[in-house]
Amino acid sequence: MTDAPDPRRWKALGVCLVAGFMTLLDVSIVNVALPSIREGIGASTSELQWVVSGYALAFGLVLVPAGRLGDARGRRTMFIVGVALFTLSSLAAGLAPTAFLLVVARLVQGLGGGILNPQVSGLIQELFRGRERGRAFGMLGAVIGISTAVGPVLGGLIIRLLGVETGWRWIFFVNIPIGIAAIALSLRLLPGGPREETPTRRDLDLVGVGLLGAGVLAVLLPLVEQQEWRGDAKWALLAGGVMLLAVFVLWERRYAARGHAALVDLSLFALPSYSAGSALAMAYFSGFTGIFFVLTLYFQGGLGYSPLLAGLAVTPFAAGSAVAAALGGRVVTTAGRPLVVGGLVAVVLGLVLTDVALALHGDSRSAGWWTALPLLVGGLGSGLVISPNQTLTLTEVPVARAGTAGGVLQTGQRMGTAVGIAVVGSTYFGALSSSRGDYGQAASQGLRAAVALTTVALLIGVADVVRSRRSSRGSSARAAAGHQPAHEGHADATSQGDGEGASTPSRVGGET
């Protein structure tokens, strides 16, 4: 591979953004359509949670092996497979006659999304360098914010125009033209197969795939089914899932020690930027993804908003996220991890103020206006978290392992999503039941659960900033004492992180 950048890289990024838009649009559209789905095909509370969480569950199960396959067999090939599967399952979801078949279609959609998404982060790592990489991830973050903002409004508009009975079906049909366009453009613009023959191409670690999949499934299933699965048996399954994941780690170490290419290179977690960023992402996704689930149900069920009005009511958060993500992508390489910490503070503040607004005006139809500004504050903070954190987390990862590393990172995000929907959703429905239908109190309890989970991410970010600054002061002290210059060791660590010279130099996770 030459050092010259691919002249098609920005057009290729556009294709990746189209796919990212489609998968994220589907999440936010579905949230606002849940009451319509319940009325249209008689979906139960459990089935509604599965429509949302089942997607995240299936998504998370295939991210790591899909990233590995993309690294090994070619990211364009896996990208097209993922888009095609997602598009076909969108058609099946739109035609589903029962809630059970809709859940099945959503699971397949999750598989398609899980296959294509690691290829997006891997292609950005492959095609872009230095500040351009931060800009590319910033654009991805802006698209995430835009799709989240457009989704509730578009979903509400479709349901209003076509009616509750059939309108929700068209929220899945809109994926079909997007998917077809993405496949056609990817054949023209995305780079082809893997660059060279490597052990990774011949060794796909099927035992590791099975252990990881079984472990993730066993951990997430009882959380997703918490409301409907009575008794303590589910927690035994959760404990079994944790044990399976521990066995997976032991297997990966042994497999790598025998000279094979393990599914997950555990040495990635020796990179402080990667380990801290992965933990932060998992904790943050567990917190913020429940916000839309709770608020759309509250606005429609509690205040009688139409799907369109409910979508407009939660738009400030997503719109703020889109704006801030574009800005964050431009400054992350100089601001580093403190940018993410500042964003997390804004998210927590915004959610707390939203809870206060609900406490004061939760019984009024004007609640949507009172929560608009706090949600905007939270959204602006969120835009400074997701994409900047992804840039910082992957900054020292070699391009040859970019798909796998991105898959592991997104697996944590999907597990966080499922945990968050389970915790926040269960808190919401539990409070709704105990308060005998007080939607305002239920929404408030759900938001407080989201604040608690987001605060965990904030603590992880603060700890990483403190660690980085202590490490920097220690290096400076050693340099002053006559040892190796502080900048020299740091430069070696970052430049050698990628055998092809593709890693971005880092300062507190950013660029010097």
Side-chain angles (χ1 to χ4, degrees):
M1 181 177 177
T2 64
D3 291 332
D6 190 323
R8 301 173 301 173
R9 62 192 183 280
W10 291 107
K11 293 181 180 179
L13 175 63
V15 178
C16 294
L17 297 185
V18 167
F21 178 86
M22 177 174 66
T23 57
L24 270 298
L25 180 73
D26 211 61
V27 174
S28 56
I29 277 186
V30 167
N31 274 322
V32 78
L34 291 177
S36 300
I37 293 173
R38 179 172 54 198
E39 184 173 342
I41 55 177
S44 67
T45 296
S46 175
E47 287 167 333
L48 289 178
Q49 284 192 279
W50 267 101
V51 167
V52 178
S53 298
Y55 178 84
L57 175 64
F59 202 118
L61 287 175
V62 299
L63 278 166
V64 176
R68 175 65 174 275
L69 283 170
D71 292 341
R73 309 297 186 191
R75 291 171 184 137
R76 182 178 68 183
T77 299
M78 295 305 298
F79 180 90
I80 292 173
V81 169
V83 173
L85 188 62
F86 188 93
T87 304
L88 290 173
S89 57
S90 296
L91 175 62
L95 296 174
T98 66
F100 172 76
L101 292 177
L102 175 59
V103 169
V104 171
R106 286 285 288 170
L107 290 171
V108 179
Q109 269 192 317
L111 294 177
I115 290 171
L116 75 89
N117 268 272
Q119 319 314 325
V120 174
S121 59
L123 285 164
I124 290 177
Q125 289 283 96
E126 178 181 339
L127 293 170
F128 296 94
R129 305 288 182 267
R131 292 181 182 275
E132 280 195 346
R133 185 179 292 173
R135 288 179 57 198
F137 276 121
M139 292 174 68
L140 176 61
V143 166
I144 291 172
I146 292 170
S147 64
T148 309
V150 169
V153 178
L154 179 59
L157 182 61
I158 290 173
I159 292 171
R160 180 169 183 174
L161 291 176
L162 301 179
V164 171
E165 182 65 30
T166 59
W168 66 267
R169 299 182 182 277
W170 285 91
I171 69 176
F172 298 110
F173 292 151
V174 296
N175 294 326
I176 297 173
I178 299 175
I180 292 172
I183 292 173
L185 291 170
S186 64
L187 290 170
R188 293 180 52 192
L189 298 173
L190 297 188
R195 292 154 296 173
E196 58 185 15
E197 182 73 18
T198 67
T200 302
R201 296 197 64 192
R202 302 186 300 271
D203 190 351
L204 296 178
D205 188 10
L206 296 179
V207 174
V209 171
L211 286 171
L212 179 62
V216 171
L217 179 62
V219 167
L220 294 183
L221 186 59
L223 294 171
V224 172
E225 279 289 270
Q226 185 177 4
Q227 284 292 304
E228 298 298 321
W229 189 350
R230 304 300 179 183
D232 296 330
K234 58 178 176 286
W235 305 122
L237 182 60
L238 178 62
V242 173
M243 292 179 62
L244 281 172
L245 292 176
V247 172
F248 167 74
V249 171
L250 295 175
W251 167 262
E252 293 296 280
R253 288 178 176 172
R254 180 180 177 186
Y255 198 66
R258 290 160 53 189
H260 298 290
L263 177 66
V264 176
D265 186 348
L266 298 177
S267 66
L268 289 172
F269 292 97
L271 300 172
S273 59
Y274 187 79
S275 57
S278 297
L280 187 151
M282 183 175 180
Y284 181 66
F285 271 73
S286 71
F288 103 101
T289 50
I291 299 170
F292 296 99
F293 182 82
V294 165
L295 289 180
T296 52
L297 289 175
Y298 159 70
F299 282 124
Q300 293 185 69
L303 299 183
Y305 281 22
S306 68
L308 177 58
L309 285 178
L312 290 171
V314 298
T315 295
F317 187 99
S321 179
V323 172
L327 173 63
R330 293 182 179 275
V331 302
V332 62
T333 51
T334 53
R337 184 68 67 190
L339 176 70
V340 177
V341 170
L344 287 166
V345 170
V347 174
V348 171
L349 176 62
L351 294 182
V352 169
L353 292 176
T354 301
D355 183 28
V356 171
L358 290 182
L360 296 175
H361 307 282
D363 295 330
S364 169
R365 282 183 60 86
S366 64
W369 290 105
W370 288 103
T371 58
L373 182 58
L375 287 176
L376 177 62
V377 172
L380 290 170
S382 186
L384 300 179
V385 175
I386 298 176
S387 290
N389 181 64
Q390 185 159 344
T391 302
L392 298 172
T393 302
L394 298 176
T395 189
E396 295 177 309
V397 173
V399 169
R401 291 181 286 169
T404 304
V408 173
L409 175 62
Q410 291 195 51
T411 297
Q413 293 174 357
R414 300 287 77 77
M415 291 180 70
T417 296
V419 169
I421 292 295
V423 172
V424 176
S426 297
T427 302
Y428 174 86
F429 287 119
L432 189 64
S433 176
S434 64
S435 65
R436 298 183 179 182
D438 188 334
Y439 282 88
Q441 181 178 334
S444 179
Q445 293 296 326
L447 284 173
R448 290 173 188 177
V451 168
L453 294 169
T454 306
T455 301
V456 174
L458 175 59
L459 294 175
I460 293 171
V462 170
D464 188 48
V465 170
V466 172
R467 178 205 57 79
S468 298
R469 289 180 174 173
R470 285 179 177 174
S471 177
S472 178
R473 285 197 297 267
S475 298
S476 298
R478 288 192 297 271
H483 296 288
Q484 180 184 15
H487 66 84
E488 184 179 331
H490 185 72
D492 289 346
T494 53
S495 65
Q496 292 175 9
D498 181 353
E500 299 167 33
S503 287
T504 307
S506 171
R507 187 195 67 174
V508 193
E511 179 178 271
T512 54

